[in-house]
C-alpha cells in the first residue's frame, strides 16, 4: 500500500532517487529507492526528521500557519518534504537537475493515498 | 544598492510581501516590505537564520553538497531562502498563493547584484 505510492512518486519524477514515509521521531515506516550507491537512506531519514522538527517549531513560533511543505536544494540534490499529519511526513530526494515541480505534484497527488493507509 | 534589488524581488513577484538580506547571525543588513500589518520582520529574520543554520548543519552532516535554496510553505505563507555566501542569505516571503516560481527566479536573478554589493 505505502510502497505503491512511494514507488509512483520516485519513478514518475524525472531524476527521482528515493521516497520515504516517516515519523518525526526519525523512524521510517516505508521507503522506496532507485538502486544507487553512496546514499545512506537511514541516516538521511533521521536528519530529515531533525531538521523538519526545527522548522515546525520555527513556524509555530512565528505563528505563520501550519507547515505544509519544505524543499531544500543543495549543489547535489533536491529534497522535497510534504507533511501528512502531525506525526508523519513523506520526503522525496531527487537529482539536482530532476523535475522538482513534478515531484511536488506527485507528493500532493499521493498524499491522500498515504494518509488513508496511515489511519 | 541592496534596497533596489530587494524591492525588485518583492514588487515583481505576484503576492510578494517582504525580502530581507541577512547574516546567519540573525542580523538583517537591509530589508524591503510591502506595507502590511501583523508581520514582525525582525522576529521572522532571526528565526529564518536559526532554521537555516540547522539545515546547513544537516546538509553538511549528510555530505550532500552545499546548501543553495530552501523553501517553506505554510498554510499562510511561502518563504524562499537563497544562500549568497557562507555568511549571508536573502529571504523572500510571499502570500501562500503568490508566484513561487517567479520569486525563485528573481532571487537568482538579483543574487549577483546583492553579492557584488556585499563584497
Amino acid at each position: 500500500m505505502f510502497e505503491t505510492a512511494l514507488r509512483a512518486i520516485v519513478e514518475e519524477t524525472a531524476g527521482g532517487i528515493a521516497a520515504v514515509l516517516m515519523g518525526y521521531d526519525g523512524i521510517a515506516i516505508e521507503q522506496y529507492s532507485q538502486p544507487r550507491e553512496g546514499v545512506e537512506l537511514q541516516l538521511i531519514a533521521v536528519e530529515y526528521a531533525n531538521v523538519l522538527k526545527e522548522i515546525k517549531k520555527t513556524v509555530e513560533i512565528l505563528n505563520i500557519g501550519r507547515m505544509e511543505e519544505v524543499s531544500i536544494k543543495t549543489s547535489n540534490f533536491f529534497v522535497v518534504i510534504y507533511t501528512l499529519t502531525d506525526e508523519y511526513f513523506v520526503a522525496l530526494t531527487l537529482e539536482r537537475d530532476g523535475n522538482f515541480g513534478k515531484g511536488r505534484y506527485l507528493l500532493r497527488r499521493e498524499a491522500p493515498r498515504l494518509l488513508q493507509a496511515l489511519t
Side-chain angles (χ1 to χ4, degrees), chain A:
Chain A
M1 194 72 150
F2 294 133
E3 213 232 346
T4 314
L6 295 176
R7 188 168 55 204
I9 293 167
V10 174
E11 295 196 338
E12 292 179 39
T13 303
I17 297 169
V20 56
L21 172 67
M22 61 181 307
Y24 283 100
D25 56 5
I27 297 170
I29 296 175
E30 185 72 80
Q31 59 190 44
Y32 176 82
S33 66
Q34 305 275 28
R36 189 191 167 93
E37 273 176 46
V39 178
E40 293 167 77
L41 270 181
Q42 200 48 52
L43 171 66
I44 289 182
V46 173
E47 294 299 333
Y48 281 170
N50 282 336
V51 82
L52 213 56
K53 262 190 287 194
E54 205 60 38
I55 296 174
K56 200 166 185 269
K57 211 168 67 188
T58 302
V59 166
E60 280 158 14
I61 289 168
L62 292 176
N63 196 23
I64 53 173
R66 202 179 62 82
M67 179 178 69
E68 292 183 357
E69 203 183 281
V70 173
S71 63
I72 300 167
K73 188 181 189 181
T74 76
S75 46
N76 300 331
F77 298 107
F78 233 132
V79 179
V80 191
I81 298 164
Y82 193 85
T83 59
L84 295 170
T85 70
D86 270 351
E87 281 170 274
Y88 299 104
F89 63 90
V90 54
L92 168 67
T93 302
L94 53 157
E95 304 281 0
R96 193 189 182 284
D97 55 359
N99 193 338
F100 168 64
K102 182 76 178 289
R104 283 177 68 207
Y105 159 75
L106 289 168
L107 286 169
R108 260 177 250 160
R109 193 192 70 185
E110 297 299 324
R113 193 152 38 145
L114 291 168
L115 263 173
Q116 201 175 20
L118 269 174
T119 49

